[in-house]
Amino acid sequence: MLVTNPCINDARVLKEATSLSKDGYELVIRAISNDGILPVQQKDGFCIKRMNRKIRQNTLLGKLSYSSKFIYHSIKENADIYHAHDMSTLLECYIASKWNRSKVIYDSHELFIRNFDNKKNYKNPYFYLERFLIKKVDLVITVNDFIAKELQQRYSLKNAPSVIMNCPSLYNSNEFDTKSELRSKCNSKNVVVFQGVIREGLGLRNLIRSIGYLNNDYKLLIIGDGPILDELIDLSKQLSLDHKIYFTGKVPHEELLSYTKIAHLGLIYPEKYNLSHYYMAPNKFFEYIHANIPVLVPDYPFLRENVLKYGIGLLADSENPEDFAKHITEVFSDRKKYANMKRNTETAKNNLNWENEEKKLIELYSGL
């Protein structure tokens, strides 16, 4: 497997690697190293080997540097199957597979070419690279049916890519301790949560502003770290909302559920950033479900399909903070309806879990 991150908290990559190693595959993940991270790590039956970056990856020279290293080390592995995580490693896996006469899998975590306007997509050289390579691989997998259909139509594929969703494993809730100190700070029956990478394109500034339209019975919990975290903390202070908004910073993935369970409603803010965002099936959506809390999410295809199918929340169709605040109060306004949505998350969890997705992954590998 190849991935262009340190592979510390990449849930999809780690789950796939764990499942495959349990099934008997001898597996190596080639990743990128950061300061303070072990260059070689044994984990859950597989090995992660990280390469140093002496040149910044987002420069042309940096990309050529890590690409050549990936190709060299991948060829040396002499693998039977090369598994490319996203477009950023597909060319390297393809070259290594050709050299060793091996199979290659393209695992598209999202739409790499993501503009709504196809004219802009056609100007992107990666469009033509992906169009060429996607027809040369032995298996294409992605995260939901909507992205699968988009890839099939965009590149005139004979078959739609197979779908492996980013669902968590089924947890025993008794294994997780409640974060009592944080719970006491969020002492309310109306705690709402956002979790994930704190970055641009997720509507997080408007989410902060929306809390200003709610009374003091509502608290917002933001779980995660990222490039705009400090800005959001400052914004909450500028708006005098810091008594209603709590930031945890980065938390270990194995403890995430215990933080999420403090909340009563999981949030994804509507901001139609690009086509990939519109078709998204984010980890946090499944994590909210596994924490048994209803959701308030954008009216986007995958989210709409599952919210309506299981009856686990409400859909928001406006990026306006005041409108979003009204949607939040709507969720809590009918406690009987809220209880039904919470109860329905159990049914959703029993369908949307890694144990089900793992079986599909193993079957796909067996068919190569």
Side-chain angles (χ1 to χ4, degrees), residues 181-188 191 219-221 246 262:
E181 183 180 350
L182 184 58
R183 184 177 287 277
S184 64
K185 289 182 180 179
C186 301
N187 185 21
S188 169
V191 179
K219 310 292 183 184
L220 170 62
L221 180 61
Y246 303 95
I262 294 172

Side-chain angles (χ1 to χ4, degrees), residues 190 192-194 202-216 218-222 232 235-236 239-241 244-245 265 267-270 296 316 318-329:
N190 301 332
V192 298
V193 63
F194 173 89
L202 300 176
L204 295 179
R205 296 180 187 85
N206 279 340
L207 175 58
I208 296 289
R209 296 184 181 100
S210 72
I211 302 304
Y213 294 98
L214 301 170
N215 62 42
N216 288 331
Y218 291 87
K219 310 292 183 184
L220 170 62
L221 180 61
I222 295 183
L232 295 184
L235 179 61
S236 69
L239 298 175
S240 300
L241 297 173
K244 297 168 66 175
I245 302 175
L265 179 66
L267 304 178
I268 301 174
Y269 199 91
L296 174 59
S318 172
E319 297 181 19
N320 181 278
E322 185 174 6
D323 291 339
F324 194 74
K326 290 176 181 177
H327 285 304
I328 292 175
T329 57

Side-chain angles (χ1 to χ4, degrees), residues 101 106 110 115 118 143 150 180 218 231 242 308 330:
R101 298 181 180 180
Y106 177 27
E110 58 184 358
N115 285 304
N118 273 332
V143 297
E150 173 66 25
S180 55
Y218 291 87
E231 180 190 337
D242 47 316
L308 297 181
E330 183 183 354

Side-chain angles (χ1 to χ4, degrees), residues 282-295:
N283 292 350
K284 64 178 70 66
F285 176 70
F286 300 110
E287 290 159 355
Y288 296 152
I289 292 169
H290 279 246
N292 292 114
I293 59 173
V295 298

